[in-house]
Amino acid sequence: MRRLRRVKILATLGPASSTPEMVEKLFRAGTDVFRINMSHTSHDRMRELVQTIRDVEDEVGRPIGILIDLQGPKLRVGKFAEGAAMLKAGQSFTLDSDETPGDENRVRLPHPEILEALEPGHTLLLDDGKIRLIARSCTPTSTTAEVVVGGRLSDRKGVSLPDTLIKTSAMTPKDHADLEAALATDSVDWIALSFVQRPEDISEARDIIKGRVGVMTKIEKPQAMTRLAEIIELSDSVMVARGDLGVEMPLEKVPGLQKQMTRACRKAGKPVIIATQMLESMITQATPTRAEVSDVATAVFEGADAIMLSAESAAGAYPVEAVAMMNSIATNVESDPYYRSIIDAQHAEPEATGADAISAAARQIAETLDLAAIICWTAYGTTARRAARERPKQPIIALTPSLETSRRLALVWGVHSVLTHDAHDLDDMVDRGCDIAKDQGIAQDGERVIISAGVPLRTPGATNMLRIAYVDGDHKRD
């Protein structure tokens, strides 16, 4: 089964979509990678879902990616004596370390790291941004703030701090336990890190992961934008988590940041995923709004590697229809006459490395000669990712002897990965590449393909060989 679109689709599993039958339906509707949200999933349930996905993978005969999304720190206020309090604009309100239940004048903030980091002038957003405070006076144990936007604040509502860099790990003890449980399955492809504020947060996770899975950084904190280039460099992929960004900064800034992150990731050759509320209305209805269709289309026009469904597939009434709709939108956008010109206009110049120069040359040759496909032999996925960075017109076939690499490439724009045994030599690379391109229905007898690889084989990042070959029955002519 080969997708007829370049952009990939992630679907979140949940109560509406966790049976083997539903997982297979979601895959056949267009899902390339399944997301398991550890905010709502126990270790036992996570292991069951991973096994279900792998059983479906065996059934359909195609590699499927699995993303485990770590919860990250949850910052919340304490409890109120009456269960809630009404905050009025203009009044003073105190957040402190006192364990006494709160009232309309104060409440406990059970996070000493926040109280230590707050400074006068910093904004505090409570209950998903519904209530807004400005800190006026701060001590290590107490902050008195002015209520700018009031409202009813109840027990354990969330706190967001768009101006404050909190000196705490992005990984909680729960995240450590969830990460170890995911790694122990030996069948997970990506780990998503929440609450990343700085590059050091990624390094902490990498020290534990040790290259066993790909590291996806979720950009959901404004603080991360100030060090975006460093964060992208340390990440294997990036998720634009628009929901949380929209809470911590003005909503009108989010579309521009989405474009900034998409282009920065494309330039770096790192997969970028656009997430949150893409088809939100399909949680309860069978068709999306026109605005949602345009939102998905914008991400595809921008050249994002993947687009993601959250509650739409996890808890909605129409999970399969949501995936099918996303697939239909993407397919139509990619056939639009303006699509290619927009993608080409955002094309990043190759970096000054041999691998990038070879990948750029492969794209140019493929388009100049109107070749049928770009075939990449890759052990670790590097050659295929560099080919995808170029956003070529031609299909990209990634041939790899590694099942893990094949699954991880399910996230990468335009890559159709095929598991095959390692090539013996250059002639075997050419012969088998042509055979597979023909078997997959991508090339026909008489057409030409271009083959790229790193020689010697299994040398990460060593893409250094190009070869043009005819597909001609059992005989391949250079």
Side-chain angles (χ1 to χ4, degrees):
M1 178 184 293
R2 180 171 72 91
R3 306 294 190 204
L4 298 179
R5 54 175 158 75
R6 266 71 166 186
V7 71
K8 302 301 178 71
I9 294 176
L10 282 75
T12 304
L13 296 182
S17 55
S18 295
T19 65
E21 294 76 19
M22 281 299 297
V23 171
E24 182 171 348
K25 286 180 181 179
L26 291 174
F27 173 81
R28 294 190 183 280
T31 302
D32 301 289
V33 179
F34 287 100
R35 170 178 174 254
I36 300 173
N37 185 357
M38 295 309 295
S39 296
H40 311 293
T41 310
S42 68
H43 293 177
D44 286 342
R45 186 60 179 143
M46 179 268 294
R47 285 186 283 266
E48 290 173 3
L49 290 172
V50 168
Q51 187 57 54
T52 295
I53 296 166
R54 291 300 170 228
D55 290 343
V56 170
E57 180 182 68
D58 291 340
E59 177 68 25
V60 300
R62 289 293 304 149
I64 300 175
I66 298 177
L67 166 66
I68 300 295
D69 195 338
L70 302 182
Q71 175 177 285
K74 293 297 181 185
L75 307 178
R76 302 182 186 278
V77 300
K79 294 185 176 182
F80 291 87
E82 302 296 328
M86 183 61 69
L87 278 57
K88 298 179 181 179
Q91 77 167 83
S92 292
F93 188 74
T94 299
L95 299 103
D96 56 37
S97 56
D98 186 348
E99 295 186 10
T100 305
D103 55 28
E104 66 275 7
N105 297 312
R106 60 155 296 278
V107 73
R108 183 189 181 206
L109 185 60
H111 301 283
E113 67 275 13
I114 296 180
L115 294 172
E116 292 170 3
L118 279 167
E119 298 177 7
H122 283 193
T123 297
L124 297 92
L125 301 171
L126 311 181
D127 193 9
D128 287 335
K130 296 182 181 71
I131 298 172
R132 182 178 181 183
L133 314 180
I134 301 293
R136 296 304 183 199
S137 63
C138 305
T139 72
T141 59
S142 175
T143 292
T144 299
E146 177 187 348
V147 179
V148 178
V149 178
R152 182 178 182 274
L153 182 63
S154 56
D155 294 346
R156 303 289 296 159
K157 288 299 182 182
V159 180
S160 298
L161 304 148
D163 304 324
T164 309
L165 183 64
I166 304 171
K167 296 179 181 179
T168 186
S169 169
M171 293 184 63
T172 65
K174 169 180 165 53
D175 294 327
H176 280 275
D178 291 347
L179 175 56
E180 293 292 352
L183 294 173
T185 68
D186 200 29
S187 196
V188 166
D189 308 296
W190 293 93
I191 294 290
L193 304 179
S194 301
F195 207 82
V196 171
Q197 300 180 90
R198 51 191 172 248
E200 292 80 2
D201 295 331
I202 305 168
S203 299
E204 178 186 359
R206 281 199 171 279
D207 289 343
I208 300 169
I209 292 170
K210 299 185 185 304
R212 287 175 283 178
V213 298
V215 175
M216 180 184 296
T217 298
K218 296 165 65 177
I219 305 296
E220 53 192 355
K221 303 288 292 180
Q223 294 85 347
M225 294 301 301
T226 64
R227 302 181 71 180
L228 182 63
E230 298 169 84
I231 286 172
I232 291 174
E233 183 177 357
L234 279 176
S235 306
D236 296 310
S237 65
V238 168
M239 180 189 293
V240 184
R242 305 178 306 173
D244 291 295
L245 274 176
V247 169
E248 299 209 11
M249 61 175 50
L251 286 170
E252 60 271 19
K253 292 184 177 294
V254 175
L257 293 176
Q258 175 178 321
K259 291 182 183 294
Q260 179 184 338
M261 285 184 271
T262 299
R263 295 184 184 188
C265 289
R266 282 188 57 185
K267 182 178 180 181
K270 302 291 179 75
V272 57
I273 300 90
I274 309 301
T276 320
Q277 297 177 325
M278 301 209 81
L279 297 176
E280 185 83 353
S281 64
M282 291 194 74
I283 295 173
T284 57
Q285 62 189 42
T287 56
T289 66
R290 292 167 180 80
E292 289 167 342
V293 172
S294 294
D295 182 37
V296 174
T298 295
V300 180
F301 273 121
E302 282 288 311
D305 288 80
I307 44 185
M308 192 179 95
L309 296 168
S310 298
E312 302 97 326
S313 61
Y318 303 96
V320 176
E321 291 84 353
V323 173
M325 176 57 67
M326 188 168 268
N327 179 76
S328 179
I329 296 167
T331 302
N332 278 274
V333 167
E334 291 179 0
S335 63
D336 187 279
Y338 290 102
Y339 172 74
R340 178 45 57 178
S341 62
I342 294 172
I343 290 293
D344 290 345
Q346 300 165 10
H347 179 256
E349 291 300 312
E351 297 178 6
T353 67
D356 277 281
I358 288 287
S359 297
R363 174 184 185 264
Q364 183 175 2
I365 292 168
E367 294 183 0
T368 300
L369 300 180
D370 193 23
L371 304 182
I374 297 172
I375 300 174
C376 305
W377 281 90
T378 181
Y380 302 99
T382 306
T383 301
R385 287 193 298 272
R386 302 319 284 179
R389 177 185 183 272
E390 296 297 317
R391 298 296 192 263
K393 294 178 183 177
Q394 282 73 16
I396 302 167
I397 306 174
L399 306 182
T400 179
S402 166
L403 180 57
E404 292 76 16
T405 295
S406 188
R407 289 167 172 168
R408 204 177 295 185
L409 288 173
L411 185 70
V412 180
W413 185 96
V415 174
H416 175 72
S417 63
V418 178
L419 192 65
T420 183
H421 57 272
D422 223 339
H424 306 303
D425 51 35
L426 292 181
D427 287 339
D428 187 33
M429 276 186 178
V430 173
D431 290 347
R432 210 134 38 84
C434 290
D435 287 341
I436 291 173
K438 183 179 177 181
D439 291 343
Q440 296 290 315
I442 297 173
Q444 300 177 3
D445 284 345
E447 293 184 320
R448 291 180 294 176
V449 297
I450 190 164
I451 300 165
S452 66
V455 181
L457 301 176
R458 291 190 172 273
T459 304
T463 308
N464 57 11
M465 186 276 289
L466 284 180
R467 196 154 165 183
I468 301 170
Y470 278 93
V471 178
D472 188 14
D474 294 329
H475 181 58
K476 286 78 187 177
R477 295 182 286 114
D478 291 341

mmCIF file of all heavy atoms in Angstrom, residues 371-375 397 430 433-434 437 443 447-451 467-471:
data_model
loop_
_atom_site.group_PDB
_atom_site.id
_atom_site.type_symbol
_atom_site.label_atom_id
_atom_site.label_comp_id
_atom_site.label_asym_id
_atom_site.label_seq_id
_atom_site.Cartn_x
_atom_site.Cartn_y
_atom_site.Cartn_z
ATOM 1 N N LEU A 371 12.726 11.941 -14.195
ATOM 2 C CA LEU A 371 12.876 10.556 -13.767
ATOM 3 C C LEU A 371 11.649 10.105 -12.982
ATOM 4 O O LEU A 371 10.860 10.913 -12.499
ATOM 5 C CB LEU A 371 14.137 10.407 -12.907
ATOM 6 C CG LEU A 371 15.450 10.885 -13.557
ATOM 7 C CD1 LEU A 371 16.619 10.627 -12.625
ATOM 8 C CD2 LEU A 371 15.680 10.228 -14.906
ATOM 9 N N ALA A 372 11.504 8.805 -12.868
ATOM 10 C CA ALA A 372 10.311 8.249 -12.219
ATOM 11 C C ALA A 372 10.386 8.320 -10.703
ATOM 12 O O ALA A 372 9.348 8.435 -10.036
ATOM 13 C CB ALA A 372 10.100 6.799 -12.650
ATOM 14 N N ALA A 373 11.593 8.248 -10.139
ATOM 15 C CA ALA A 373 11.709 8.199 -8.677
ATOM 16 C C ALA A 373 13.128 8.493 -8.242
ATOM 17 O O ALA A 373 14.080 8.360 -9.022
ATOM 18 C CB ALA A 373 11.287 6.824 -8.150
ATOM 19 N N ILE A 374 13.241 8.914 -6.983
ATOM 20 C CA ILE A 374 14.535 9.029 -6.306
ATOM 21 C C ILE A 374 14.597 7.882 -5.306
ATOM 22 O O ILE A 374 13.742 7.765 -4.425
ATOM 23 C CB ILE A 374 14.676 10.376 -5.584
ATOM 24 C CG1 ILE A 374 14.637 11.523 -6.599
ATOM 25 C CG2 ILE A 374 15.962 10.419 -4.758
ATOM 26 C CD1 ILE A 374 14.566 12.895 -5.957
ATOM 27 N N ILE A 375 15.587 7.005 -5.467
ATOM 28 C CA ILE A 375 15.720 5.834 -4.610
ATOM 29 C C ILE A 375 16.902 6.048 -3.671
ATOM 30 O O ILE A 375 18.013 6.356 -4.118
ATOM 31 C CB ILE A 375 15.923 4.557 -5.449
ATOM 32 C CG1 ILE A 375 14.719 4.345 -6.378
ATOM 33 C CG2 ILE A 375 16.138 3.341 -4.553
ATOM 34 C CD1 ILE A 375 14.882 3.206 -7.353
ATOM 35 N N ILE A 397 11.794 6.758 -2.626
ATOM 36 C CA ILE A 397 11.730 5.392 -2.113
ATOM 37 C C ILE A 397 12.946 5.183 -1.219
ATOM 38 O O ILE A 397 14.087 5.318 -1.666
ATOM 39 C CB ILE A 397 11.739 4.358 -3.249
ATOM 40 C CG1 ILE A 397 10.634 4.653 -4.262
ATOM 41 C CG2 ILE A 397 11.592 2.944 -2.690
ATOM 42 C CD1 ILE A 397 10.685 3.762 -5.490
ATOM 43 N N VAL A 430 21.655 -1.045 -7.559
ATOM 44 C CA VAL A 430 20.944 -0.603 -8.754
ATOM 45 C C VAL A 430 19.868 -1.620 -9.147
ATOM 46 O O VAL A 430 18.703 -1.269 -9.378
ATOM 47 C CB VAL A 430 21.924 -0.371 -9.916
ATOM 48 C CG1 VAL A 430 21.166 -0.085 -11.216
ATOM 49 C CG2 VAL A 430 22.863 0.768 -9.584
ATOM 50 N N GLY A 433 17.089 -1.790 -6.478
ATOM 51 C CA GLY A 433 16.353 -0.529 -6.453
ATOM 52 C C GLY A 433 15.357 -0.430 -7.596
ATOM 53 O O GLY A 433 14.199 -0.047 -7.406
ATOM 54 N N CYS A 434 15.790 -0.805 -8.797
ATOM 55 C CA CYS A 434 14.891 -0.779 -9.958
ATOM 56 C C CYS A 434 13.756 -1.785 -9.809
ATOM 57 O O CYS A 434 12.591 -1.485 -10.134
ATOM 58 C CB CYS A 434 15.689 -1.064 -11.229
ATOM 59 S SG CYS A 434 16.825 0.256 -11.707
ATOM 60 N N ALA A 437 11.243 -0.433 -7.223
ATOM 61 C CA ALA A 437 10.473 0.696 -7.772
ATOM 62 C C ALA A 437 9.379 0.197 -8.705
ATOM 63 O O ALA A 437 8.254 0.715 -8.700
ATOM 64 C CB ALA A 437 11.406 1.651 -8.504
ATOM 65 N N ALA A 443 7.650 2.961 -10.772
ATOM 66 C CA ALA A 443 8.355 3.072 -12.053
ATOM 67 C C ALA A 443 7.955 1.903 -12.954
ATOM 68 O O ALA A 443 7.568 0.835 -12.474
ATOM 69 C CB ALA A 443 9.860 3.079 -11.832
ATOM 70 N N GLU A 447 11.395 3.456 -18.003
ATOM 71 C CA GLU A 447 11.600 4.697 -17.259
ATOM 72 C C GLU A 447 12.937 4.645 -16.515
ATOM 73 O O GLU A 447 13.522 3.582 -16.311
ATOM 74 C CB GLU A 447 10.459 4.919 -16.262
ATOM 75 C CG GLU A 447 9.124 5.193 -16.926
ATOM 76 C CD GLU A 447 8.029 5.513 -15.943
ATOM 77 O OE1 GLU A 447 7.979 4.858 -14.870
ATOM 78 O OE2 GLU A 447 7.230 6.405 -16.236
ATOM 79 N N ARG A 448 13.399 5.825 -16.126
ATOM 80 C CA ARG A 448 14.669 5.915 -15.406
ATOM 81 C C ARG A 448 14.445 6.380 -13.973
ATOM 82 O O ARG A 448 13.477 7.085 -13.677
ATOM 83 C CB ARG A 448 15.613 6.885 -16.118
ATOM 84 C CG ARG A 448 16.130 6.380 -17.459
ATOM 85 C CD ARG A 448 17.061 7.386 -18.107
ATOM 86 N NE ARG A 448 16.354 8.604 -18.483
ATOM 87 C CZ ARG A 448 16.947 9.689 -19.007
ATOM 88 N NH1 ARG A 448 18.260 9.681 -19.181
ATOM 89 N NH2 ARG A 448 16.239 10.749 -19.333
ATOM 90 N N VAL A 449 15.347 5.955 -13.112
ATOM 91 C CA VAL A 449 15.342 6.369 -11.706
ATOM 92 C C VAL A 449 16.740 6.840 -11.352
ATOM 93 O O VAL A 449 17.712 6.556 -12.071
ATOM 94 C CB VAL A 449 14.933 5.213 -10.768
ATOM 95 C CG1 VAL A 449 13.509 4.765 -11.053
ATOM 96 C CG2 VAL A 449 15.894 4.042 -10.880
ATOM 97 N N ILE A 450 16.847 7.575 -10.257
ATOM 98 C CA ILE A 450 18.163 7.954 -9.749
ATOM 99 C C ILE A 450 18.335 7.345 -8.366
ATOM 100 O O ILE A 450 17.399 7.337 -7.552
ATOM 101 C CB ILE A 450 18.351 9.483 -9.714
ATOM 102 C CG1 ILE A 450 19.815 9.826 -9.411
ATOM 103 C CG2 ILE A 450 17.402 10.151 -8.726
ATOM 104 C CD1 ILE A 450 20.176 11.262 -9.718
ATOM 105 N N ILE A 451 19.499 6.794 -8.111
ATOM 106 C CA ILE A 451 19.772 6.053 -6.875
ATOM 107 C C ILE A 451 20.877 6.774 -6.108
ATOM 108 O O ILE A 451 21.925 7.108 -6.676
ATOM 109 C CB ILE A 451 20.189 4.606 -7.190
ATOM 110 C CG1 ILE A 451 19.054 3.900 -7.963
ATOM 111 C CG2 ILE A 451 20.532 3.847 -5.920
ATOM 112 C CD1 ILE A 451 19.469 2.624 -8.625
ATOM 113 N N ARG A 467 23.521 7.470 -9.032
ATOM 114 C CA ARG A 467 23.585 6.660 -10.233
ATOM 115 C C ARG A 467 22.211 6.670 -10.913
ATOM 116 O O ARG A 467 21.186 6.492 -10.250
ATOM 117 C CB ARG A 467 23.973 5.227 -9.881
ATOM 118 C CG ARG A 467 24.428 4.403 -11.073
ATOM 119 C CD ARG A 467 25.340 3.307 -10.589
ATOM 120 N NE ARG A 467 25.540 2.281 -11.589
ATOM 121 C CZ ARG A 467 26.257 1.193 -11.381
ATOM 122 N NH1 ARG A 467 26.816 0.984 -10.194
ATOM 123 N NH2 ARG A 467 26.431 0.287 -12.326
ATOM 124 N N ILE A 468 22.196 6.907 -12.191
ATOM 125 C CA ILE A 468 20.965 6.889 -12.970
ATOM 126 C C ILE A 468 20.857 5.533 -13.661
ATOM 127 O O ILE A 468 21.835 5.030 -14.207
ATOM 128 C CB ILE A 468 20.957 8.016 -14.019
ATOM 129 C CG1 ILE A 468 21.086 9.383 -13.335
ATOM 130 C CG2 ILE A 468 19.671 7.971 -14.848
ATOM 131 C CD1 ILE A 468 21.325 10.513 -14.296
ATOM 132 N N ALA A 469 19.664 4.945 -13.608
ATOM 133 C CA ALA A 469 19.494 3.619 -14.203
ATOM 134 C C ALA A 469 18.135 3.521 -14.879
ATOM 135 O O ALA A 469 17.161 4.163 -14.454
ATOM 136 C CB ALA A 469 19.624 2.534 -13.129
ATOM 137 N N TYR A 470 18.082 2.714 -15.942
ATOM 138 C CA TYR A 470 16.823 2.388 -16.599
ATOM 139 C C TYR A 470 16.168 1.206 -15.885
ATOM 140 O O TYR A 470 16.843 0.273 -15.452
ATOM 141 C CB TYR A 470 17.055 1.984 -18.056
ATOM 142 C CG TYR A 470 17.210 3.144 -19.008
ATOM 143 C CD1 TYR A 470 18.471 3.639 -19.308
ATOM 144 C CD2 TYR A 470 16.103 3.723 -19.612
ATOM 145 C CE1 TYR A 470 18.635 4.688 -20.196
ATOM 146 C CE2 TYR A 470 16.246 4.781 -20.490
ATOM 147 C CZ TYR A 470 17.510 5.260 -20.784
ATOM 148 O OH TYR A 470 17.662 6.298 -21.656
ATOM 149 N N VAL A 471 14.856 1.248 -15.802
ATOM 150 C CA VAL A 471 14.078 0.083 -15.365
ATOM 151 C C VAL A 471 13.680 -0.652 -16.639
ATOM 152 O O VAL A 471 12.917 -0.141 -17.455
ATOM 153 C CB VAL A 471 12.818 0.503 -14.584
ATOM 154 C CG1 VAL A 471 12.004 -0.705 -14.184
ATOM 155 C CG2 VAL A 471 13.212 1.318 -13.354
#
